[in-house]
Amino acid sequence: MPQFALPKRHALVTSPVGLLSLKASEHGLTHLQVEDLVQISSTVEIQTQVTLQQSDIVHAQTLLLQAQRHIDETVFQLAEYFAKQRQQFDVTLAPKGTVFQQEVWQALSQLTFGQRCSYSDIANTIGRPKAVRAVGAANGANPIAIIVPCHRVIGKGGKLTGYAYGLDMKQWLLDLEGIDEINGFI
């Protein structure tokens, strides 16, 4: 995953699973989170957050345009995903995380549509078979829901386990991808 920079664009987008908050920098998508509607004003609008440390206006505009392209492409690909017309995302990602978290998120990103695995499967994939709990923590810290598909990680026995946005949403995403509770392990 490319280097991290502070988000320069922020968009709120409605989706079948709720209001999605997207943030991007010039390097790629930095956040995709489901927002609590109680905490959001009743008017949904595109918001812009400018965090620049250079006074060069042309350079600043370029960074904002690049960040907006990442937002636009993410919105387009999410719409296709929810319409069952996309099974793989190719949005440029730029989440902030430790080296270990990046390894876990990269392994999650390799899971294909309709595939599920356990935390121990991910730990084995990254070459750290004893780091199952740390994998679970990194999975829970994933800042880019859906696209980095942490919803595809289930308990070793095939049971649904925790999900930052609740088990109902996790089950909904798994159903969208055609994953049942018995089949689909890697």
Side-chain angles (χ1 to χ4, degrees):
M1 294 188 188
Q3 70 185 51
F4 176 80
L6 290 174
K8 296 182 177 53
R9 287 289 202 199
H10 179 212
L12 295 173
V13 179
T14 57
S15 80
V17 295
L19 189 64
L20 302 179
S21 172
L22 309 176
K23 295 180 184 176
S25 72
E26 67 275 19
H27 299 295
L29 187 70
T30 60
H31 297 82
L32 190 166
Q33 299 166 315
V34 180
E35 291 293 334
D36 183 354
L37 292 176
V38 175
Q39 297 177 2
I40 302 290
S41 74
S42 60
T43 305
V44 177
E45 59 187 57
I46 302 296
Q47 301 174 9
T48 301
Q49 176 183 2
V50 180
T51 311
L52 300 172
Q53 299 186 9
Q54 299 179 4
S55 59
D56 181 354
I57 299 289
V58 173
H59 181 65
Q61 289 174 332
T62 300
L63 297 180
L64 289 171
L65 284 173
Q66 290 170 339
Q68 188 60 49
R69 282 190 201 111
H70 294 300
I71 294 281
D72 293 345
E73 185 59 28
T74 301
V75 170
F76 178 76
Q77 290 189 26
L78 283 168
E80 289 181 328
Y81 171 79
F82 288 123
K84 295 185 177 184
Q85 296 173 347
R86 174 174 289 274
Q87 294 187 355
Q88 182 176 343
F89 293 98
D90 58 8
V91 175
T92 303
L93 305 178
K96 181 179 181 181
T98 66
V99 171
F100 180 79
Q101 288 172 328
Q102 297 283 344
E103 288 176 11
V104 171
W105 300 336
Q106 185 63 41
L108 290 170
S109 295
Q110 300 308 308
L111 295 174
T112 59
F113 185 90
Q115 181 182 22
R116 68 180 183 171
C117 68
S118 68
Y119 296 110
S120 63
D121 291 328
I122 295 293
N124 288 328
T125 297
I126 64 171
R128 298 188 182 190
K130 295 184 179 182
V132 175
R133 287 186 183 193
V135 165
N139 195 54
N142 173 19
I144 303 179
I146 302 168
I147 293 175
V148 177
C150 54
H151 63 277
R152 294 179 186 153
V153 180
I154 59 172
K156 192 167 185 165
K159 301 253 184 213
L160 288 185
T161 56
Y163 185 61
Y165 304 109
L167 294 181
D168 287 341
M169 180 176 160
K170 184 173 189 167
Q171 186 64 60
W172 191 93
L173 292 169
L174 295 173
D175 290 345
L176 176 74
E177 296 183 12
I179 300 174
D180 62 34
E181 281 198 45
I182 299 170
N183 300 314
F185 270 96
I186 60 172

